[in-house]
Amino acid sequence: MLLRVFLVGPQRFGGSHLAKIASRFFLSTGYSGKVEKMVENTNSNITRVLFCGPYFPASHNYTREYLQKYPFVQVDDVPLDDVPDVIANYHICVVKNRRLNSEIIARATQMKLIMQFGVGLEGVDVDAATRCGIKVARIPGNVTGNSASCAEMAIYLMLGLLRKQKEMEIVVKQKRLGEPPGETLLGKTVFIMGFGNIGIDLAKRLRPFGVKILATKRSWPLNMQDSCRPNGSPALNIDSDGIDGLVDKKGGPKDLYNFAREADIVVPCLLLNSETAGIVNKKFLSSMKKGALLVNIARGGVLDYEAVASHLESGHLGGLGIDVAWTEPFNPDDPILKFQNVLITPHVAGVTEYSYRTMAQVVGDTALQLHAGKPLTGVEYVN
């Protein structure tokens, strides 16, 4: 059986068309060896995995490295625009930041699995995949270190804003000492919007800083009390789910604005969907206390760009730290970056050696299982 892993890019292709696409991309970038491999491995003994596009290169590089001893599994990374032209030749597609609509999915005639190198699947038409008999899955972040990596990035951005990182860089260049005065996390109230794997890992790491934690979730386990523990009291033991004792005040969607008024720092940890798109809007930002900070390590679309820009301009928003943006890659000349209290990183919250090596192993094992006709483990289906 041929197992294909696909990095998203356009339509189906035959051997000659594939060679043309491969030559155009890989020869232009110096990857002459890949062209030969892609053209040669068109027989039915190869399982093919497709990675979509050039971004997050460690994803396909580490997966290819993990599978290098298995010649019957081929890993290709294909330009985003070419995905529709080649998708018919693959068995697994790792979408990364490529959108797969119903038209593209219909071309994936050999596809068995569409998956994300991580969690977010907002760009995949899951219903269309289901109609085509294709499974869609994500890699749970709590077992790969991805959620822990994202939580650490959130704290990195919090500290950078509190200690005024951009101002410090200017002071260093001007050879001044002892300024600017910063702030501590100690004593702050942090509102975690969405208490899934990332939210839980963030709360665990924030506890030693001496903060008060508010969190919202659509539904809470029955063993969680309305008030988990008073602020300042000794931390409780974490239960088997890693949740109990982490939150000072829990709530649901109806508590968003009340928690926003109380928080010094707001951190969205939400999946992007029809309910969460633009949820941090003008009304929400106006509800936040003046000078509060906003840190986003979820998806750029969770924030309303115009509302964020206007609240930075007015000074109501005390600082913005984002690892994800409204359009990616983000325009380095975007006016929002002119503010001294804005920090941005290039969507690297989950991109750590540990998490990416672990997720590459999950993708690799999935390809090996598919090739062998075994049940797929290590992934979480959404259909």
Side-chain angles (χ1 to χ4, degrees):
M1 184 186 76
L2 169 62
L3 177 59
R4 291 172 179 157
V5 180
F6 173 62
L7 292 181
V8 179
Q11 289 171 329
R12 82 182 60 191
F13 52 93
S16 61
H17 187 51
L18 174 58
K20 185 185 300 182
I21 293 173
S23 299
R24 174 157 54 90
F25 174 63
F26 292 121
L27 287 178
S28 67
T29 55
Y31 291 95
S32 57
K34 287 186 182 177
V35 178
E36 181 179 359
K37 184 176 182 181
M38 286 182 71
V39 175
E40 283 182 353
N41 292 332
T42 57
N43 61 72
S44 60
N45 297 318
I46 304 297
T47 292
R48 290 196 174 100
V49 180
L50 171 66
F51 280 80
C52 301
Y55 303 126
F56 309 95
S59 62
H60 49 263
N61 291 336
Y62 288 176
T63 302
R64 191 176 287 120
E65 181 180 327
Y66 180 73
L67 291 168
Q68 61 185 340
K69 295 181 180 179
Y70 304 95
F72 50 83
V73 178
Q74 177 177 320
V75 178
D76 296 328
D77 51 293
V78 174
L80 290 172
D81 291 341
D82 288 345
V83 169
D85 293 328
V86 302
I87 195 168
N89 292 270
Y90 291 88
H91 303 98
I92 298 175
C93 177
V94 184
V95 294
K96 296 198 284 185
N97 60 332
R98 180 53 156 101
R99 292 191 173 275
L100 290 188
N101 57 27
S102 58
E103 180 182 350
I104 296 175
I105 290 173
R107 298 174 177 177
T109 53
Q110 298 187 71
M111 191 68 60
K112 303 299 182 183
L113 177 68
I114 295 170
M115 65 184 300
Q116 181 59 280
F117 203 85
V119 178
L121 287 164
E122 64 274 2
V124 178
D125 188 332
V126 178
D127 291 337
T130 303
R131 290 193 299 270
C132 292
I134 302 171
K135 300 299 292 183
V136 181
R138 53 183 166 232
I139 303 175
N142 61 326
V143 297
T144 62
N146 183 263
S147 60
S149 298
C150 291
E152 290 181 7
M153 176 59 80
I155 294 175
Y156 169 88
L157 291 170
M158 290 181 201
L159 293 172
L161 292 173
L162 288 167
R163 303 309 290 264
K164 303 177 182 177
Q165 179 176 315
K166 279 190 175 179
E167 291 183 43
M168 286 194 291
E169 292 170 359
I170 294 173
V171 168
V172 169
K173 292 177 181 178
Q174 295 177 347
K175 298 183 178 181
R176 292 149 46 196
L177 295 174
E179 55 180 309
E183 296 186 52
T184 64
L185 261 175
L186 176 66
K188 297 294 188 294
T189 297
V190 180
F191 172 23
I192 301 174
M193 298 176 63
F195 207 65
N197 290 328
I198 295 176
I200 291 170
D201 275 343
L202 177 57
K204 288 178 181 179
R205 286 154 180 77
L206 283 174
R207 270 296 171 215
F209 285 94
V211 302
K212 179 180 180 180
I213 297 176
L214 319 176
T216 51
K217 185 179 176 70
R218 279 181 295 182
S219 61
W220 291 87
L222 294 177
N223 63 338
M224 291 287 288
Q225 301 299 316
D226 287 340
S227 182
C228 296
R229 71 177 182 88
N231 190 42
S233 67
L236 303 179
N237 291 330
I238 306 303
D239 67 7
S240 59
D241 293 327
I243 296 176
D244 207 11
L246 291 175
V247 181
D248 295 285
K249 188 184 295 185
K250 72 181 183 72
K254 62 181 177 58
D255 300 299
L256 289 179
Y257 301 113
N258 288 333
F259 283 12
R261 293 185 186 95
E262 191 176 345
D264 300 296
I265 305 171
V266 174
V267 188
C269 296
L270 301 163
L271 294 174
L272 181 62
N273 53 43
S274 59
E275 294 180 2
T276 61
I279 193 171
V280 180
N281 54 19
K282 180 179 180 181
K283 180 180 179 181
F284 183 93
L285 291 165
S286 297
S287 298
M288 292 172 60
K289 64 171 66 173
K290 181 177 173 59
L293 308 179
L294 177 62
V295 170
N296 188 18
I297 43 85
R299 285 291 187 264
V302 170
L303 310 187
D304 181 310
Y305 175 88
E306 296 299 333
V308 170
S310 65
H311 281 75
L312 283 168
E313 190 73 50
S314 70
H316 183 82
L317 187 59
L320 173 70
I322 54 174
D323 180 61
V324 288
W326 297 268
T327 58
E328 294 182 339
F330 197 51
N331 179 7
D333 297 320
D334 190 285
I336 210 167
L337 299 181
K338 71 181 180 181
F339 296 101
Q340 289 282 315
N341 57 347
V342 172
L343 298 178
I344 183 171
T345 51
H347 203 143
V348 291
V351 185
T352 60
E353 187 77 12
Y354 179 80
S355 67
Y356 261 48
R357 290 286 184 189
T358 307
M359 288 191 290
Q361 181 175 342
V362 172
V363 176
D365 288 343
T366 298
L368 293 172
Q369 290 164 352
L370 183 60
H371 188 85
K374 297 179 179 179
L376 305 185
T377 60
V379 296
E380 182 180 68
Y381 294 118
V382 299
N383 66 346

